[in-house]
Amino acid sequence: MRRNILDSRVHTLLYFISPSGGESLKELDVDFLQRLCTKVNVIPVIAKSDTLTLEELSAFKKAILKDFEHHDIRVYPTAHAEDRENIVDLERYMPFGVMGSDTLVDVGGKKVRGRVYRWGVVEVENEKHSDFVHLRELLIRTNLQDLIETTHTVHYAQYRASKIRTKGRPDSYLACDDLYDSRVENARRYHAEDMQKREDEMRQMFVQKVREKEAELREREESLNAKRQQLMEELERMRRQIQNEEASFEDAVYRFKNFILICKLFKLTYQQRSPKTLILVTL
């Protein structure tokens, strides 16, 4: 079946440019790039960029971009990418200046891939030293699927159309391709809209559940606060009751001590039997 056919097409070509630091591309590079850019997604890369100073590298990049525009060399992602939002930041580094190394060096107690020179260390994955991380971002993380789709919808479509025309076949073949592509595009758009609709519904459902949970938690919190207030009032009432009981107990103890003292005085008076003794006791 068709889905079991192995896709052997080349989806990306990294074209390495010699770091000559010259004012423009070599004629050989221009010729090759003009031939290749119509057949595959070409990503220009300046090799061994650590051999150039930052000023030389920046000037060389500007000269290369100017040659691309002058000779109508359509490179990826500038000429083909549909999702412009994801490539705006990456386009600032075009063409990518990279350097490679399979040697691990120690930088600040950490092992990194880089090259050691007399004046310092150049790290492969350091944005200040190389554009390798941005090239990896483009190839693996952000534009991998777009590279495959561009190969099919642009380069392979152009190649197939040219082969059909050279063999004298009618243009209805191409019309069928356009119809098929339009159906595929409509189906893709329908599925994308359906997925977006489902995502919106799931998001709304999630938001609703979150609100319900928040309302439930808020109700529980209010209930707990009410119980806490009730317990605090009960504790305050018990504290006042205990204070009153303590005051009553202390008053009873005071009266009892006075009573004992009076009894002792009466006993002492009785023992002395002196009629002139006058005892005034105030209870």
Side-chain angles (χ1 to χ4, degrees):
M1 298 178 66
R2 189 177 184 85
R3 62 172 177 269
N4 294 327
I5 298 177
L6 180 64
D7 186 4
S8 60
R9 296 172 295 186
V10 177
H11 301 296
T12 307
L13 186 145
L14 299 179
Y15 191 89
F16 285 87
I17 302 171
S18 176
S20 61
E23 296 181 356
S24 61
L25 289 172
K26 297 178 181 179
E27 294 184 4
L28 183 63
D29 291 330
V30 173
D31 184 46
F32 266 85
L33 287 169
Q34 285 179 331
R35 293 168 182 256
L36 292 172
C37 69
T38 59
K39 297 177 174 61
V40 67
N41 298 316
V42 178
I43 300 179
V45 177
I46 301 176
K48 299 180 181 180
S49 62
D50 55 323
T51 59
L52 302 174
T53 64
L54 294 178
E55 293 75 13
E56 291 174 343
L57 181 61
S58 178
F60 193 35
K61 285 186 176 184
K62 292 179 181 179
I64 292 175
L65 294 176
K66 186 176 181 180
D67 285 342
F68 287 165
E69 183 178 359
H70 178 71
H71 296 287
D72 193 25
I73 298 175
R74 302 171 61 81
V75 297
Y76 189 91
T78 305
H80 301 295
E82 296 181 357
D83 191 0
R84 302 296 304 175
E85 295 182 358
N86 290 335
I87 67 171
V88 172
D89 293 335
L90 294 174
E91 279 185 322
R92 296 188 295 111
Y93 304 98
M94 293 282 291
F96 298 98
V98 301
M99 50 82 62
S101 175
D102 57 358
T103 303
L104 294 176
V105 297
D106 186 88
V107 178
K110 182 179 179 181
K111 293 293 184 179
V112 298
R113 296 191 181 277
R115 293 182 179 180
V116 180
Y117 295 96
R118 290 180 297 176
W119 44 265
V121 178
V122 179
E123 303 175 33
V124 174
E125 299 186 24
N126 190 329
E127 296 183 12
K128 297 180 180 180
H129 301 168
S130 172
D131 297 332
F132 174 80
V133 290
H134 304 294
L135 178 61
R136 181 178 60 189
E137 181 83 11
L138 173 68
L139 290 175
I140 300 178
R141 297 180 182 175
T142 60
N143 291 64
L144 178 60
Q145 184 61 34
D146 187 67
L147 286 165
I148 299 174
E149 294 178 357
T150 303
T151 299
H152 178 73
T153 59
V154 178
H155 301 296
Y156 178 71
Q158 293 176 355
Y159 168 78
R160 187 172 184 274
S162 65
K163 289 298 181 181
I164 289 176
R165 291 192 178 96
T166 55
K167 292 184 178 181
R169 295 181 179 179
D171 290 341
S172 58
Y173 280 77
L174 300 177
C176 291
D177 286 349
D178 294 339
L179 178 61
Y180 174 77
D181 290 339
S182 65
R183 289 182 177 179
V184 171
E185 184 63 26
N186 291 335
R188 184 182 302 168
R189 188 180 301 108
Y190 169 77
H191 287 299
E193 293 175 354
D194 184 57
M195 289 296 295
Q196 185 63 36
K197 181 180 178 181
R198 292 185 181 183
E199 183 179 351
D200 294 339
E201 291 177 354
M202 292 179 64
R203 184 180 294 107
Q204 292 177 1
M205 186 182 301
F206 175 75
V207 172
Q208 181 65 25
K209 289 184 177 180
V210 170
R211 290 178 179 175
E212 292 176 357
K213 195 65 177 180
E214 289 179 348
E216 181 182 353
L217 293 175
R218 193 179 300 108
E219 183 178 355
R220 289 184 180 180
E221 183 180 3
E222 292 176 356
S223 177
L224 291 175
N225 289 334
K227 289 183 179 180
R228 177 176 177 275
Q229 183 66 25
Q230 183 179 358
L231 290 174
M232 293 296 293
E233 293 176 355
E234 182 67 19
L235 289 174
E236 181 64 20
R237 185 185 65 78
M238 294 176 65
R239 186 182 66 81
R240 289 196 297 268
Q241 181 179 355
I242 290 174
Q243 287 180 346
N244 294 334
E245 291 178 356
E246 287 180 350
S248 300
F249 178 75
E250 291 177 356
D251 183 67
V253 170
Y254 176 75
R255 290 176 177 272
F256 179 74
K257 289 181 178 180
N258 286 341
F259 177 75
I260 295 299
L261 180 61
I262 292 172
C263 291
K264 289 181 179 181
L265 291 175
F266 270 113
K267 183 178 179 180
L268 180 63
T269 303
Y270 177 77
Q271 291 176 352
Q272 292 178 354
R273 295 180 181 182
S274 175
K276 296 181 180 181
T277 302
L278 180 61
I279 301 176
L280 295 177
V281 179
T282 303
L283 296 177

